[in-house]
Amino acid sequence: MIKAIVGANWGDEGKGKVTDVFAQTSDIVIRYQGGNNAGHTIINDYGKFALHMLPSGIFNPNTLNVIGPGVALNIHALMKEISMVKERYPHPIRLVVSDRAQVVMSYHTLFDQLEEKRMGSSSFGSTKSGIAPFYSDKYAKLGFQVQELFHVPSVISKLDRVLPHKNALLEHLYETQPLSKEAILAEIEMLKQAIAPYVADTFTLLQEAVKEHKTILCEGQLGALRDPDYGIYPYSTSSSTLASYAPLGSGLMHGLDEVWAVTKAYSSAVGAGPFVAELEGEIAHELRQRGGDAGEYGATTGRPRSVGWFDAVATRYGCAIQNATHVVLTNIDVLSYLDQIPIITHYELEDGSVTSQFVATSALWNAKPVYTMVDGWKSDITCIEHYDDLPQKAKAYVDMLESLIQVPIAMVSNGPKRKQILKRL
Ligand code: GDP
């Protein structure tokens, strides 16, 4: 059984928790895209962990965790995270890193920071973790695969190609100091030593796993709407956030049996770009404070997230581009304070027309949400253990969302902890 867990929205949907729950019955969990530019929050018996590089199966001693070739591998961040996990988690860390994954260099982060500064108020809201410069280099054939680090002559000859590019930009566009070859060689040596114990031919390993019918989970990062092709470009990320990319970015090649898209019972987004659902003022403040396990603030950046009511237009599209077979609806407990709950069913576009279709980025800027209201349930649901025991009005809310997004909502999450998940189907 090969499953993917992906986001149906702008990210931060609660994928980390869902992956942690699913990982307990998975032989293998794979990260297949993105880097340390987003985080998953996992709360389990060992405490609360913000993971950025490690796959979420790391807290299951029986799960092998894989970082696939599609990932932007930040070795420094990975090592810090491994130490952080080891401090509180008593079991061995079972992790392998693809020899084909490419490495985020310190100059990628530097370029990201310099470019954000240069763009000023028109920046795309990068987390400044080097992701866009990293993927640019990968496709321009200026990147370093893990396996290359172990071959000094090819590192040196590639650096001779890389440095003139980087230094021309540093000196003439950003008007700052050029990079030194010695410093980068020293960095590469350090990265190589740190990653060596984890490097493996994960492609062959996964081919064997598929033949042996292992239970495999591909863990997506960020949300559908951050995909560079189908999302809100250019307020998107630099690798595909879609489940269809999982077979490639992981090295499984095999198609997915199930795609589980995670969506919140309301909307939240961090970073720049059009966000039709956006609320302001006191209403937004209250939802933001009540959201997630400690308010809606980015796990990586600490930035306050924009919040709004459930956006069925964006989520139906998000599920469609994920080719979702199942949906997990998280954070439903957060809405328990409301008498009436608004749901966005349509957008009104600049020309006055009303649509239920998600439109391209330029039309989103002036789109306005069209709401329908449903009754709230006004009671604490965080201790409920069976879906059937939810208040009737909470179930009616879930039924309504399901009919709007047109994918079965198979599970509902009623709190941040592992146990707080209700099977519906
Ligand atoms: P991810 O990037 O998709 O994994 O999402 P994050 O972990 O960044 O954000 C989700 C937030 O919601 C985290 O603070 C989680 O602890 C929290 N969370 C997940 N599921 C639930 C839930 O059902 N209820 C509440 N209240 N918080 C949840």
Side-chain angles (χ1 to χ4, degrees):
M1 166 67 79
I2 307 180
K3 280 185 199 166
I5 296 190
V6 288
N9 302 113
W10 300 265
D12 308 320
E13 297 94 345
K15 297 178 293 297
K17 171 190 160 162
V18 177
T19 316
D20 183 45
V21 169
F22 277 48
Q24 294 173 70
T25 51
S26 299
D27 300 311
I28 299 178
V29 176
I30 316 173
R31 276 282 311 268
Y32 60 90
Q33 49 87 213
N36 68 326
N37 52 328
H40 284 324
T41 312
I42 292 182
I43 301 176
N44 58 27
D45 298 345
Y46 306 100
K48 177 173 167 177
F49 299 86
L51 300 184
H52 305 284
M53 280 302 329
L54 281 168
S56 298
I58 209 76
F59 297 108
N60 180 7
N62 302 320
T63 302
L64 177 67
N65 292 274
V66 177
I67 294 184
V71 170
L73 176 69
N74 186 318
I75 296 176
H76 185 65
L78 178 66
M79 294 305 138
K80 257 176 71 178
E81 222 167 277
I82 291 175
S83 310
M84 181 267 293
V85 168
K86 278 185 172 166
E87 271 168 29
R88 285 184 280 159
Y89 178 69
H91 305 287
I93 297 224
R94 295 190 62 208
L95 173 73
V96 286
V97 175
S98 167
D99 52 357
R100 292 174 179 275
Q102 293 206 15
V103 180
V104 178
M105 305 291 290
S106 58
Y107 56 76
H108 290 133
T109 317
L110 173 70
F111 274 97
D112 209 354
Q113 289 162 352
L114 291 170
E115 183 61 8
E116 282 287 293
K117 198 163 149 214
R118 191 179 76 90
M119 298 277 285
S121 60
S122 46
S123 86
F124 299 124
S126 161
T127 57
K128 304 191 192 95
S129 30
I131 301 301
F134 163 87
Y135 280 108
S136 308
D137 275 2
K138 173 170 173 170
Y139 292 106
K141 291 172 275 200
L142 296 172
F144 289 94
Q145 280 193 341
V146 165
Q147 50 87 18
E148 281 182 279
L149 304 186
F150 295 87
H151 194 247
V152 177
S154 74
V155 167
I156 292 175
S157 74
K158 188 175 270 179
L159 267 185
D160 287 336
R161 226 157 35 82
V162 170
L163 284 180
H165 277 267
K166 303 296 164 205
N167 285 341
L169 288 172
L170 286 173
E171 289 180 284
H172 302 293
L173 180 66
Y174 299 116
E175 296 176 345
T176 184
Q177 297 298 314
L179 301 169
S180 101
K181 189 170 174 182
E182 293 66 39
I184 296 175
L185 282 171
E187 179 186 353
I188 288 178
E189 187 55 36
M190 197 192 69
L191 297 176
K192 179 173 96 180
Q193 284 179 21
I195 203 68
Y198 302 98
V199 181
D201 171 5
T202 57
F203 173 74
T204 304
L205 184 152
L206 292 175
Q207 298 312 299
E208 289 303 314
V210 170
K211 270 192 220 142
E212 290 165 15
H213 303 288
K214 298 267 191 213
T215 306
I216 300 175
L217 190 61
C218 298
E219 175 182 12
Q221 187 219 32
L222 300 170
L225 301 172
R226 300 290 180 195
D227 183 75
D229 293 315
Y230 296 94
I232 49 172
Y233 183 85
Y235 304 95
S236 42
T237 193
S238 306
S239 63
S240 176
T241 59
L242 302 184
S244 305
Y245 182 66
L248 287 179
S250 62
L252 279 170
M253 304 309 171
H254 200 279
L256 302 169
D257 298 307
E258 291 178 358
V259 176
W260 288 69
V262 183
T263 181
K264 266 183 182 150
Y266 54 92
S267 300
S268 74
V270 71
F275 183 50
V276 178
E278 182 153 18
L279 294 171
E280 276 166 17
E282 199 39 49
I283 301 184
H285 180 72
E286 175 147 37
L287 181 55
R288 183 177 302 115
Q289 291 306 112
R290 289 176 179 271
D293 72 298
E296 289 293 351
Y297 298 90
T300 303
T301 57
R303 289 185 285 189
R305 294 175 184 149
S306 301
V307 291
W309 306 120
F310 186 84
D311 184 338
V313 178
T315 309
R316 184 171 50 247
Y317 175 75
C319 288
I321 59 179
Q322 291 293 12
N323 197 22
T325 57
H326 302 73
V327 162
V328 184
L329 182 71
T330 67
N331 283 267
I332 190 167
D333 52 299
V334 171
L335 302 182
S336 299
Y337 68 105
L338 295 159
D339 291 319
Q340 290 265 292
I341 309 177
I343 299 171
I344 300 173
T345 57
H346 294 82
Y347 291 169
E348 185 187 323
L349 304 181
E350 196 175 14
D351 63 3
S353 63
V354 171
T355 179
S356 60
Q357 299 302 315
F358 194 70
V359 289
T361 313
S362 39
L364 284 177
W365 282 116
N366 295 312
K368 292 194 189 70
V370 178
Y371 295 105
T372 190
M373 303 298 278
V374 297
D375 286 342
W377 46 92
K378 295 283 282 183
S379 60
D380 181 3
I381 55 170
T382 52
C383 295
I384 288 177
E385 291 176 7
H386 302 284
Y387 183 81
D388 285 343
D389 297 337
L390 280 176
Q392 202 49 47
K393 285 178 176 162
K395 288 193 271 189
Y397 181 70
V398 177
D399 292 345
M400 172 85 172
L401 299 194
E402 183 179 69
S403 70
L404 288 166
I405 61 176
Q406 295 166 8
V407 181
I409 297 180
M411 287 184 187
V412 173
S413 167
N414 59 331
K417 301 209 178 100
R418 250 185 195 180
K419 279 195 303 203
Q420 291 169 302
I421 196 138
L422 312 173
K423 205 163 173 293
R424 178 166 176 262
L425 300 176

